[in-house]
Amino acid sequence: MEDLELRAEADAVLAELVGEPGGSARLREDQWQAVAALVRERRRALVVQRTGWGKSAVYFVATALLRRRGSGPTVIVSPLLALMRNQVESAARAGIRARTINSANPEEWDSIHEEIERGGIDVLLVSPERLNAVDFREQVLPGLAATTGLLVVDEAHCISDWGHDFRPDYRRLRAMLAELAPGVPVLATTATANARVTADVAEQLGTGAGGALVLRGPLERESLRLGVVRLPDAAHRLAWLAEHLDELPGSGIVYALTVAAAEEATAFLRQRGFKAASYTGRTENADRLQAEADLLENRVKALVATSALGMGFDKPDLGFVVHLGSPSSPIAYYQQVGRAGRGVDHADVLLLPGKEDEAIWRYFADTAFPPEAQVRQTLSALADAGRPLSVPALEALVDLRRSRLETMLKVLDVDGAVKRVKGGWISTGEEWVYDSERYARVARQRAAEQQAMREYASTAQCRMEFLRRQLDDEGAAPCGRCDNCAGAWADASVSAETLAGAAKELDRPGVEIEPRRMWPTGMPALGVDLKGRIPAGEQCSTGRALGRLSDIGWGNRLRPLLAENTPDGPVPDDVLRAAVAVLADWARSPGGWAPNVPDATARPVGVVAVPSLSRPHLVGSLARGIATAGRLPFLGALTYTGPGEHAVRRSNSAQRLRALSGAFTVSEELTAALARSPGPVLLVDDRTDSGWTLAVAARLLRRAGSGQVLPLVLAAAG
C-alpha cells in the first residue's frame, strides 16, 4: 500500500514537471525503480541510460518527494550549462526552486549562497569547476555536504579518465561523498559509459559494493536515422549543407571540429538565406543565451556549434544533427547525436567526414597526462617555493602549456599531492606514485577510439549497432533504418553554383592577429628582465594571417605546407597571391594604410623577415615576393643567434619567451636600412602559435629605429 501511495505521488509530480498537472503522465517502470531506490531506500544508484530516457525526471521527482519528507536540498553536479538553464525552468513547473552556480553567472553567486543558507533553494545545479574553487570548496561545500538531501552526478562518465570527456574537477566529488551524512542517497547518471567506464565510475562513487543499484538499459534510439555522406573536400561539404539543409526535419545542430570552421559555416549559411547561429568557445555569454533561445523556439534552422555546446540541451523536438567532420571518439559522437529525436518519431543524423579530421585530432591531442619528469618537476617547484604559486608563476618553472598544467594540478590535487589554496597551489608533501601503466592504457584507449571512428565512417554494418557495441550494449542489433540497413537516403549531389559559392567563401584569405601586450609572469626568475605591460612603443601592431590552421578553408591548404615532414621550398604561387590579396584588403580596412581611410597607419616602407631554421626558403621567398608585389624594398632579416630552434612550439608562454630571449639580433646592415627608410615595416614569418616570436622581433625592430611593426604570416594557430 505504501508503495502504491508513493508511486501515485511520484506520478503526480511528473505530471507537473511535464506541464500537465492532474494529467495521466506516469514514470516508466525503470524510472520508478530508480526513484524508489532513492526515496524509499535512500540508496546509491548508477544509471546508464540512453539520452532521452528521462534521467532528469528521476532526480526532480525524487527531489520533490524527499523535500516533502524533510530532506535537505538536492545538489546536481553537471557540466552542461545550457541544460542547466533548461532544467531550472522545468523544475519551476513542479514548484521546485532551482538555482545554478557556474562560470556564466558570477554576479549571482553571493545571493545564491545566501538563499542556500536561508533554506530557500530546493535544487542547486553546480558546474564541476566550482567544486575545485577555493572559496566554494572551503566556505560553501562543507555546508552543502552536511545538509544535502540528494546528490546527483550528471554526465558521470566525466569522473573516469577512461571516459571520452574526463574532467579532473569531477574527482573532487569523492571528498563530498565522504562528507555526506549517513543515508543520503546518491544518483549518478550518464548515457555514454562502456563497461570499463561503468566499473570505474562505480568504484570512484562508492557504488560498487554495499547493495548499490546499477540500472543499465539498452542504448537503441529508435527515432534516429544514421548516415554518412562522403564528399571530396570542405567546399563540397559546405555546399552540401547549404543545398540540403532544408530537407532535414525541423531545426537542429550542425557540429564543427573547430571554432574557425563553425564560424565559416555559419557565415555561408547566412549568405545562402538560412537563419543560423554560431555557438563556440569564443561566443559571448549573452549571445549564447540568445542562440539557445532561438533554437529552442525554432527561430533558427541550425545552431552551428563546436564541442563548447557539450551534449546540447533539452529540446525534445530537435530534428537533426549533422557533423562537419568526425569527432575523435564514437562514444562522444553517440552522445552528441543523442540530443536529436527525443520527443519526435523521426530525426536525421549525418556525418560528413573530412580529410583534415585526423590532422585536427592531432592538433588538439594535448590532453595526455604529462611524463613523470615534468610532474616531478612541478612537485619540486611547489615544495621548494615555500609559498603558494599561481599557475602563471609555475609556467616559468615547468615547460607545460597552461591548460595541460592546470589539468595535471587538478589530478594531483585529487590524489593528495598538491592543494589549491588562496594565492595558488602548494605541495602537501604526501607521497605520490606515477601510475605510468594506467596512463599508457588510457592513451591506447584514445587511439582505439580514433580507429573506431574511422571504422564507423567506412563500415558496411548497421551504424547504430556499431555505436551501441562501442558502448558495450549487449542488446545491440541492426536498426533497420540507417543507410547501411535501408540504403543510402541522403543525396550527395551539389550544384556547380553552390559549390562555387562555398569555394569562394573558403578561399577568402585573411584573419587578424592580436598582438601581445603583457609579458608573462615570472620572467625575472628565469633570468629574463621583462615584466608587466609591454611599452606601447615596443609592441607590434595588429597583424594579419592568411588563415588559421584550424579552419576548413585556408587551414586545409596550409597544414600540409607547414607540416614537419614537408620539405622546405619556395612559397607556392597561389599562396603568395593570396598573401598579396590579404595585404590589399588590409590596406583598405580602417587602420590600414590606404589614402582617405580615417586613422590609417602610414604605408609600410619595407619588408623584414623572421629567420627560420626549418623553412628558410619558404619564409625568404614569401618576404621577397611580398616586397616585389608591394613595390617595397626588402630590408633584410633579423639575425638568429641561437642556440637551438627559436620556435618553441606548444609550450607555455614563459618557456617560449625564455627560449626566444636573446635568440635574435638586428644586424648593422638592417639597422642602417631602417635608418634609410624610417617608418612602418612589414614583418613576415610562416606561422604564429603564441605571438611571442612576433612580440620579441617587434621589440628589437622598434628599438632599432623602425616605426610600427605590422606582422604578416601565412598561418595562425587556433
Side-chain angles (χ1 to χ4, degrees), residues 251 292-300 315:
S251 56
E292 291 168 16
D294 287 344
L295 181 62
L296 288 170
E297 298 300 324
N298 296 313
R299 291 192 291 264
V300 293
K315 180 175 170 58

Side-chain angles (χ1 to χ4, degrees), residues 47 79 142 245 274 285 294 297 303 327 354 360 384 403 426 441 453 484 488 501 530 564 587 590 629 645 659 661 700:
V47 173
L245 190 61
F274 287 101
N285 185 57
D294 287 344
E297 298 300 324
L303 184 65
I360 294 173
D384 294 343
S403 59
I426 60 173
R441 289 200 305 268
M453 202 63 215
N484 285 339
L530 296 171
E564 291 184 5
E645 170 63 64
S661 177
L700 289 171

